Amino acid sequence: MIGESSLSGAVWRYDAWQPYQTHAATSVNGWVIGLMGSGKSMFLKMFATRETAAPWNRHVIIEGDPKGEWARVARSVGGQVVSVGAGSYLNVLDPGRRPAARSERDWRGDVLGIQTQAIRSIAAAMRQDGIAGIDEQESGIVDAALNHYLDREQTPTIAGLVDLLVSQWPEQTPVKGVGQTDRRSAADRLILLLNPLVEGAMAGAFERESTVDVDPASPMLVFDTGSASDGNEQKKTLYMAAMSATVERLCAQRDGLFRIVIAEEGHELLSNPELVRAWDRRIRLSGELGVSNWFLMHELGDLSSFGEEGSEHRNTMMGILTKSEAQVVYAQSSSSLEQMTRLLPDLTLREINTIRALPDFCALWRVGPRVRDVVRPYVGPEAYDVFQTDKNRQG
């Protein structure tokens, strides 16, 4: 149960997989958008906790919690909050155990993909020179290094990878298309990129073997990106990239669990082109992986901050939104409504006027090509105390 239809007065019910099961939509993914204080975050918390209950028993992952507001929600349903730093480590290159139903050959491909994506996402977070991810020569070195560990049945760490690159290994290991001199140069660039995670300001969180035991069967996993609370924006971006690598690993387990992944602060994820690509891939594989992906934003106008018009980055972002057929729209500014009409060509004048007139905590629901309704969620007093975050806004 979500709440009440403001149009019919009937109880409004929704499950992330229901539209696909009933042929109302071809996607199990969704997004929520609304101005600050409009009720979008309250809805998502209510929706997430109810999905974890019987008989649905979904497993919710919060991909980044920069404000720490999901921690008490997770604990209220017996979930886990994953925090790093202060002696707690999360090895972003640990792929976990091979699923029983996955062959060794297929799993090797999965592992290489998970680890390479982790390094690419970290690179995009760390580099400040406009280079996204890693270049072709660096990619060749990374692939060879990861295969080096796989051949020895070892799990790499960022610190171990830096040590490997510092040694004579790059000169001694052939990499197709990359000569010896270029191998050394690419290895040195990767050392400069990754060593701050080992010995610099970013150390102490992701470079060693994991000391945090992430439970894949937890009803709700919250990745606490707010633990980077020293005002270092690059560090916050790194935490988002590194923890997202663990989210990708969990979703690739193929363990029979159905997961709902929520990007609580969508604009944090959107700033990293590699994370956008990873999110897009997960949407495309949502049926195979059993994952429903949900994106939260304040306004569509936020998209203009990331990627140039017509760029691959911007087009991928727009594709994520158009491929998500559950769209929950709270109050919007006039400029955001204009952008929404370009993104959603089937948005009617009646829907636009409805969005303009939405009261707080009410949203226009658009599910597939046919379902349209205005819904006010039901939240009881005990749940409200857990979910609400506007206490300090009231003065």
Side-chain angles (χ1 to χ4, degrees), residues 19 30 37 43 48 58 75 106 124 133 147 217 239 250 276 314 344 378 393:
F43 153 69
R58 314 300 190 191
R75 295 185 181 111
D106 288 344
N147 275 293
Y239 271 48
L250 291 169
V276 172
R314 179 76 70 87
L344 306 172
Y378 288 150
R393 294 180 195 162

Side-chain angles (χ1 to χ4, degrees), residues 27 96 111 148 225 254:
S27 164
V111 170
H148 169 87
T225 50
R254 294 172 172 85

Side-chain angles (χ1 to χ4, degrees), residues 335-364:
S335 61
S336 188
L337 271 176
E338 290 178 13
Q339 190 156 349
M340 196 176 294
T341 58
R342 295 194 294 271
L343 175 69
L344 306 172
D346 63 335
L347 190 70
T348 67
L349 180 59
R350 183 178 181 184
E351 288 175 303
I352 293 171
N353 290 333
T354 298
I355 295 168
R356 285 196 174 110
L358 285 172
D360 288 346
F361 301 104
C362 280
L364 170 67

Side-chain angles (χ1 to χ4, degrees), residues 113-177:
I114 292 167
Q115 293 173 338
T116 301
Q117 181 58 49
I119 292 173
R120 286 183 175 277
S121 298
I122 288 171
M126 293 293 292
R127 284 189 154 144
Q128 302 293 302
D129 56 3
I131 300 174
I134 54 181
D135 64 29
E136 289 182 349
Q137 291 182 353
E138 294 165 350
S139 181
I141 297 295
V142 167
D143 288 345
L146 295 177
N147 275 293
H148 169 87
Y149 285 103
L150 275 171
D151 291 341
R152 288 158 180 74
E153 298 184 348
Q154 297 174 346
T155 299
T157 63
I158 295 294
L161 182 58
V162 169
D163 286 343
L164 185 68
L165 296 172
V166 168
S167 73
Q168 294 300 307
W169 176 87
E171 288 92 336
Q172 297 169 355
T173 304
V175 177
K176 290 182 179 179

Side-chain angles (χ1 to χ4, degrees), residues 48 60-65 70 220-223 247 260 262 264:
V60 175
I61 298 175
I62 307 303
E63 188 174 354
D65 181 24
W70 279 87
M220 185 178 292
L221 278 169
V222 174
F223 286 87
V247 174
I260 298 173
I262 297 173
E264 160 67 24

